[in-house]
Amino acid sequence: MDTRWTSLLARRDRQIHGSALFHHWTIRNPMDFVQHKGLAAAGAVLAVLAALILTSLLAPPETTALLIENGPVETLTSLLHFLVALVAFALWWRRGGLFGLVGIGALAMGARELDLDKAFTTHSLFSTKQYFRAEVPLPEKLVAAAVVIGLLVLTVWLVRSSLPALRSLARQKAPAFWSIVTVLVMLPLLKTVDALPRILRENGMELGPAALARLLAIEELGELALPLLAALVLLQLLVPLKRAGRPSNEEGRPVPRR
């Protein structure tokens, strides 16, 4: 056969194959990318890269102005946490399962960003000073203790009721399981980044403005990634439920509800 016709046929085959792939990813499975097991870890890495890029583009005073406590980034982080918590509790009300645990986690992280744990009391709700210092009035101690006990009971109940679902996700090595693991790993790492300048200072090592700004950017942008990863967990939990609720035809493809 003429090589020109062979080339044309090969090009046509490539076009057909590419068109099929495009159709597969954009029409048949538009949410498959959400179910990628490494998506949460990729998001965490992107947050660190964004922090490094930000500190390389802006001088330390400008970076600090964006990232200081109660600044734009921290405020956005807390708002996203509260939004995720609202959606999670709404899903939990309708479907139960792990949504309630995700909601209480997002709510706790959002409250922590705004320092609500010590906004209405002499010391933090979770500090022993609040309950053992003489300057704290007894009624305030009692109210604070009641709030802490209520939150603790709710959290323990949600964790216990969610254990079967967590075990199931772990056995299946589901994407939501790896996303939850990523969040749990990020929390102590970000806490370490936050404490690192103080630890180095106590050991006689003082960091310069650029290094401090870089650590601050990694901490704050890492914390900004947390509500986005929590939202990813919600999607990864919800998509299989949506698919399971749809009947299938003989080819295994979802059949639209009439």
Side-chain angles (χ1 to χ4, degrees), residues 6-62:
T6 304
S7 175
L8 288 174
L9 288 173
R11 186 186 309 171
R12 189 191 66 174
D13 289 341
R14 286 196 301 269
Q15 289 173 346
I16 292 173
H17 181 66
S19 176
L21 285 176
F22 180 79
H23 177 77
H24 174 78
W25 288 107
T26 59
I27 299 176
R28 286 182 56 190
N29 299 294
M31 294 298 290
D32 274 0
F33 72 97
V34 171
Q35 294 297 83
H36 195 287
K37 294 180 179 180
L39 190 56
V45 172
L46 285 175
V48 175
L49 291 177
L52 297 178
I53 292 171
L54 178 67
T55 51
S56 66
L57 294 177
L58 296 179
E62 297 171 327

Coordinates of all heavy atoms in Angstrom, one line a residue, residues 6-62:
T6 N -1.1 4.9 4.1 CA -0.8 4.3 5.4 C -0.7 5.4 6.4 O -1.2 5.2 7.6 CB 0.5 3.5 5.3 OG1 0.4 2.5 4.3 CG2 0.8 2.8 6.7
S7 N 0.0 6.5 6.1 CA 0.1 7.6 7.0 C -1.2 8.2 7.4 O -1.5 8.5 8.5 CB 1.1 8.6 6.5 OG 1.1 9.7 7.3
L8 N -2.1 8.4 6.3 CA -3.4 8.9 6.5 C -4.3 8.1 7.4 O -5.0 8.6 8.3 CB -4.1 9.2 5.2 CG -3.5 10.3 4.3 CD1 -4.2 10.3 3.0 CD2 -3.8 11.7 5.0
L9 N -4.2 6.7 7.2 CA -5.0 5.8 8.0 C -4.5 5.8 9.4 O -5.3 5.8 10.4 CB -4.9 4.4 7.4 CG -5.7 4.2 6.1 CD1 -5.3 2.8 5.5 CD2 -7.2 4.3 6.3
A10 N -3.2 5.9 9.6 CA -2.7 5.9 11.0 C -3.1 7.2 11.7 O -3.5 7.2 12.9 CB -1.2 5.8 11.0
R11 N -3.1 8.3 11.0 CA -3.5 9.6 11.6 C -5.0 9.5 12.0 O -5.4 10.0 13.0 CB -3.2 10.7 10.6 CG -3.5 12.1 11.2 CD -3.3 13.2 10.2 NE -2.1 13.1 9.5 CZ -1.7 13.8 8.4 NH1 -2.7 14.6 7.9 NH2 -0.6 13.7 7.8
R12 N -5.8 8.9 11.1 CA -7.2 8.8 11.4 C -7.5 8.0 12.6 O -8.3 8.3 13.5 CB -8.0 8.2 10.2 CG -9.5 8.3 10.3 CD -10.2 7.4 9.3 NE -9.9 6.0 9.5 CZ -10.4 5.0 8.8 NH1 -11.3 5.3 7.8 NH2 -10.1 3.8 9.0
D13 N -6.7 6.8 12.7 CA -6.8 6.0 13.9 C -6.5 6.7 15.2 O -7.1 6.6 16.2 CB -6.0 4.7 13.8 CG -6.5 3.8 12.7 OD1 -7.7 3.9 12.4 OD2 -5.7 2.9 12.3
R14 N -5.4 7.5 15.1 CA -5.0 8.3 16.3 C -6.1 9.3 16.7 O -6.4 9.5 17.9 CB -3.7 9.0 16.0 CG -2.5 8.1 16.0 CD -1.2 8.9 16.2 NE -1.0 9.8 15.1 CZ -0.4 9.5 14.0 NH1 0.1 8.3 13.8 NH2 -0.2 10.4 13.0
Q15 N -6.7 9.9 15.7 CA -7.7 10.9 15.9 C -9.0 10.3 16.6 O -9.6 10.8 17.5 CB -8.1 11.6 14.6 CG -7.1 12.6 14.1 CD -7.4 13.2 12.8 OE1 -8.3 12.6 12.1 NE2 -6.7 14.2 12.3
I16 N -9.3 9.1 16.0 CA -10.5 8.4 16.6 C -10.2 7.9 18.0 O -11.0 8.1 18.9 CB -10.8 7.1 15.7 CG1 -11.3 7.6 14.4 CG2 -11.8 6.2 16.4 CD1 -11.5 6.4 13.4
H17 N -9.0 7.4 18.3 CA -8.6 7.0 19.6 C -8.6 8.2 20.6 O -9.1 8.1 21.7 CB -7.2 6.3 19.6 CG -6.8 5.8 20.9 ND1 -7.4 4.8 21.6 CD2 -5.8 6.2 21.7 CE1 -6.8 4.6 22.7 NE2 -5.8 5.4 22.8
G18 N -8.0 9.3 20.1 CA -8.0 10.5 21.0 C -9.4 11.0 21.2 O -9.7 11.4 22.4
S19 N -10.2 11.0 20.2 CA -11.6 11.4 20.4 C -12.3 10.5 21.4 O -13.1 11.0 22.3 CB -12.4 11.4 19.1 OG -13.7 11.8 19.3
A20 N -12.1 9.2 21.4 CA -12.7 8.3 22.3 C -12.3 8.6 23.7 O -13.0 8.6 24.7 CB -12.4 6.9 21.9
L21 N -10.9 8.8 23.9 CA -10.4 9.1 25.2 C -11.0 10.4 25.7 O -11.4 10.6 26.9 CB -8.9 9.3 25.2 CG -8.1 8.0 25.1 CD1 -6.6 8.3 25.0 CD2 -8.4 7.1 26.3
F22 N -11.1 11.4 24.9 CA -11.7 12.7 25.3 C -13.1 12.5 25.7 O -13.6 13.0 26.7 CB -11.6 13.7 24.1 CG -12.2 15.1 24.4 CD1 -11.5 16.0 25.2 CD2 -13.5 15.4 24.0 CE1 -12.0 17.2 25.5 CE2 -14.0 16.6 24.3 CZ -13.3 17.5 25.0
H23 N -13.9 11.7 24.9 CA -15.3 11.5 25.3 C -15.4 10.7 26.6 O -16.2 11.0 27.5 CB -15.9 10.6 24.2 CG -17.3 10.2 24.5 ND1 -18.4 11.1 24.4 CD2 -17.9 9.0 24.9 CE1 -19.5 10.5 24.7 NE2 -19.2 9.2 25.1
H24 N -14.4 9.8 26.8 CA -14.4 9.0 28.1 C -14.3 9.8 29.3 O -15.0 9.7 30.3 CB -13.3 7.9 28.0 CG -13.2 7.1 29.2 ND1 -14.0 6.1 29.6 CD2 -12.3 7.2 30.2 CE1 -13.6 5.6 30.7 NE2 -12.6 6.3 31.2
W25 N -13.3 10.8 29.2 CA -13.0 11.5 30.4 C -13.9 12.7 30.6 O -14.1 13.2 31.8 CB -11.5 12.0 30.4 CG -10.6 10.9 30.6 CD1 -9.8 10.2 29.7 CD2 -10.3 10.2 31.8 NE1 -9.0 9.2 30.2 CE2 -9.4 9.2 31.5 CE3 -10.8 10.3 33.1 CZ2 -8.9 8.3 32.5 CZ3 -10.3 9.5 34.1 CH2 -9.4 8.5 33.8
T26 N -14.4 13.3 29.6 CA -15.1 14.5 29.7 C -16.6 14.3 29.8 O -17.4 15.1 30.3 CB -14.8 15.5 28.5 OG1 -15.2 14.8 27.3 CG2 -13.4 15.9 28.5
I27 N -17.1 13.1 29.3 CA -18.6 12.9 29.2 C -19.0 11.8 30.1 O -19.9 11.9 31.0 CB -19.0 12.7 27.8 CG1 -18.7 13.9 27.0 CG2 -20.5 12.4 27.7 CD1 -19.1 13.8 25.5
R28 N -18.3 10.6 30.0 CA -18.8 9.5 30.7 C -18.4 9.5 32.2 O -19.1 9.1 33.0 CB -18.2 8.2 30.1 CG -18.9 7.8 28.8 CD -18.3 6.5 28.2 NE -18.4 5.5 29.2 CZ -17.8 4.3 29.1 NH1 -17.0 4.1 28.0 NH2 -17.9 3.4 30.0
N29 N -17.2 10.0 32.5 CA -16.7 10.0 33.8 C -16.1 11.3 34.3 O -14.9 11.5 34.5 CB -15.6 8.9 34.0 CG -16.1 7.5 33.7 OD1 -16.9 7.0 34.4 ND2 -15.6 7.0 32.6
P30 N -17.0 12.3 34.4 CA -16.5 13.7 34.7 C -15.9 13.8 36.1 O -15.2 14.8 36.4 CB -17.7 14.6 34.5 CG -18.9 13.6 34.7 CD -18.4 12.3 34.2
M31 N -16.3 12.9 37.0 CA -15.8 13.0 38.4 C -14.7 12.0 38.8 O -14.4 11.8 39.9 CB -17.0 12.8 39.4 CG -18.0 13.9 39.3 SD -17.3 15.6 39.7 CE -17.1 15.3 41.5
D32 N -14.2 11.3 37.8 CA -13.2 10.3 38.1 C -11.9 10.9 38.7 O -11.2 10.2 39.5 CB -12.8 9.5 36.8 CG -13.8 8.3 36.6 OD1 -14.7 8.2 37.4 OD2 -13.6 7.6 35.6
F33 N -11.6 12.1 38.3 CA -10.4 12.7 38.8 C -10.4 12.9 40.3 O -9.4 12.9 41.0 CB -10.1 14.0 38.1 CG -11.0 15.2 38.5 CD1 -10.7 16.1 39.5 CD2 -12.3 15.3 37.9 CE1 -11.5 17.1 39.9 CE2 -13.1 16.3 38.3 CZ -12.8 17.2 39.3
V34 N -11.7 13.1 40.8 CA -11.9 13.3 42.3 C -11.5 12.0 43.0 O -11.0 12.1 44.2 CB -13.3 13.7 42.6 CG1 -13.6 13.7 44.1 CG2 -13.6 15.1 42.0
Q35 N -11.6 10.9 42.4 CA -11.4 9.6 43.0 C -10.0 9.1 42.9 O -9.7 8.0 43.3 CB -12.3 8.5 42.5 CG -13.8 8.8 42.7 CD -14.1 8.8 44.2 OE1 -13.9 9.7 45.0 NE2 -14.6 7.6 44.7
H36 N -9.1 10.0 42.5 CA -7.7 9.6 42.5 C -7.1 9.5 43.9 O -7.3 10.5 44.7 CB -6.9 10.6 41.6 CG -5.5 10.1 41.2 ND1 -4.5 10.0 42.1 CD2 -5.0 9.7 40.0 CE1 -3.4 9.5 41.5 NE2 -3.7 9.3 40.2
K37 N -6.4 8.4 44.2 CA -6.0 8.2 45.6 C -4.9 9.2 46.0 O -4.7 9.4 47.2 CB -5.5 6.8 45.7 CG -6.6 5.7 45.6 CD -6.0 4.3 45.7 CE -7.2 3.3 45.6 NZ -6.7 1.9 45.7
G38 N -4.1 9.7 45.1 CA -3.1 10.6 45.4 C -3.4 12.1 45.3 O -2.5 13.0 45.4
L39 N -4.7 12.4 45.1 CA -5.1 13.8 44.8 C -4.9 14.7 46.1 O -4.4 15.8 46.0 CB -6.6 13.9 44.4 CG -7.1 15.2 43.9 CD1 -6.2 15.7 42.7 CD2 -8.5 15.1 43.5
A40 N -5.2 14.2 47.3 CA -5.0 15.0 48.5 C -3.5 15.2 48.7 O -3.1 16.4 49.1 CB -5.6 14.3 49.7
A41 N -2.7 14.2 48.5 CA -1.2 14.4 48.7 C -0.7 15.4 47.7 O 0.2 16.3 48.0 CB -0.5 13.1 48.6
A42 N -1.2 15.4 46.5 CA -0.8 16.3 45.5 C -1.2 17.8 45.9 O -0.4 18.7 45.7 CB -1.4 16.0 44.1
G43 N -2.4 17.9 46.5 CA -2.8 19.2 47.0 C -1.9 19.7 48.1 O -1.6 20.9 48.1
A44 N -1.5 18.9 49.0 CA -0.6 19.3 50.0 C 0.8 19.8 49.5 O 1.3 20.8 49.9 CB -0.3 18.1 51.0
V45 N 1.3 19.0 48.5 CA 2.5 19.4 47.8 C 2.4 20.8 47.1 O 3.3 21.6 47.2 CB 3.0 18.3 46.8 CG1 4.2 18.8 46.0 CG2 3.4 17.1 47.6
L46 N 1.2 20.9 46.4 CA 1.0 22.2 45.7 C 0.9 23.4 46.7 O 1.4 24.5 46.4 CB -0.3 22.1 45.0 CG -0.3 21.3 43.7 CD1 -1.7 21.2 43.0 CD2 0.7 21.9 42.7
A47 N 0.4 23.2 47.9 CA 0.3 24.2 48.9 C 1.7 24.7 49.3 O 2.0 25.9 49.5 CB -0.4 23.8 50.1
V48 N 2.6 23.7 49.5 CA 4.0 24.0 49.8 C 4.7 24.7 48.7 O 5.4 25.8 48.9 CB 4.8 22.7 50.2 CG1 6.3 23.0 50.4 CG2 4.2 22.1 51.4
L49 N 4.5 24.3 47.5 CA 5.1 25.0 46.3 C 4.5 26.4 46.2 O 5.3 27.3 45.8 CB 4.8 24.2 45.0 CG 5.5 22.8 44.9 CD1 5.0 22.1 43.6 CD2 7.0 23.0 44.9
A50 N 3.3 26.6 46.4 CA 2.7 27.9 46.4 C 3.3 28.8 47.4 O 3.6 30.0 47.1 CB 1.2 27.8 46.6
A51 N 3.6 28.3 48.6 CA 4.2 29.1 49.6 C 5.7 29.5 49.2 O 6.1 30.6 49.4 CB 4.3 28.2 50.9
L52 N 6.4 28.6 48.6 CA 7.7 28.9 48.2 C 7.7 29.9 47.0 O 8.6 30.8 47.0 CB 8.4 27.6 47.7 CG 8.7 26.5 48.8 CD1 9.3 25.3 48.2 CD2 9.5 27.1 50.0
I53 N 6.8 29.8 46.1 CA 6.7 30.8 45.0 C 6.3 32.1 45.6 O 6.8 33.2 45.2 CB 5.6 30.3 44.0 CG1 6.1 29.0 43.3 CG2 5.3 31.4 43.0 CD1 5.1 28.4 42.4
L54 N 5.3 32.2 46.5 CA 4.9 33.4 47.1 C 6.0 34.1 47.8 O 6.2 35.4 47.6 CB 3.8 33.2 48.1 CG 3.2 34.4 48.8 CD1 2.5 35.3 47.9 CD2 2.3 34.0 50.0
T55 N 6.8 33.4 48.6 CA 7.9 34.1 49.3 C 9.1 34.4 48.4 O 9.9 35.3 48.7 CB 8.5 33.1 50.4 OG1 8.7 31.8 49.9 CG2 7.4 33.0 51.5
S56 N 9.2 33.8 47.2 CA 10.2 34.2 46.2 C 9.8 35.5 45.4 O 10.6 36.2 44.9 CB 10.5 33.1 45.3 OG 9.4 32.8 44.5
L57 N 8.5 35.7 45.3 CA 8.0 36.8 44.6 C 7.8 38.1 45.4 O 7.9 39.2 44.9 CB 6.6 36.5 43.9 CG 6.7 35.4 42.8 CD1 5.3 35.1 42.3 CD2 7.6 35.8 41.7
L58 N 7.5 37.9 46.7 CA 7.2 39.1 47.6 C 8.2 39.2 48.6 O 8.8 38.2 49.1 CB 5.8 38.9 48.2 CG 4.6 38.9 47.3 CD1 3.3 38.7 48.1 CD2 4.5 40.2 46.5
A59 N 8.6 40.4 49.0 CA 9.5 40.6 50.1 C 8.8 40.2 51.4 O 7.6 40.2 51.5 CB 9.9 42.1 50.1
P60 N 9.6 39.9 52.5 CA 9.1 39.5 53.7 C 8.0 40.4 54.3 O 7.0 39.9 54.8 CB 10.3 39.4 54.6 CG 11.4 39.1 53.7 CD 11.1 39.8 52.4
P61 N 8.1 41.7 54.3 CA 7.0 42.5 54.9 C 5.7 42.4 54.1 O 4.6 42.3 54.8 CB 7.5 44.0 54.8 CG 9.0 43.9 54.6 CD 9.3 42.6 53.9
E62 N 5.8 42.3 52.8 CA 4.5 42.1 52.0 C 3.9 40.7 52.3 O 2.7 40.6 52.4 CB 4.8 42.3 50.5 CG 5.3 43.7 50.2 CD 5.8 43.8 48.8 OE1 6.3 42.8 48.3 OE2 5.6 44.9 48.2

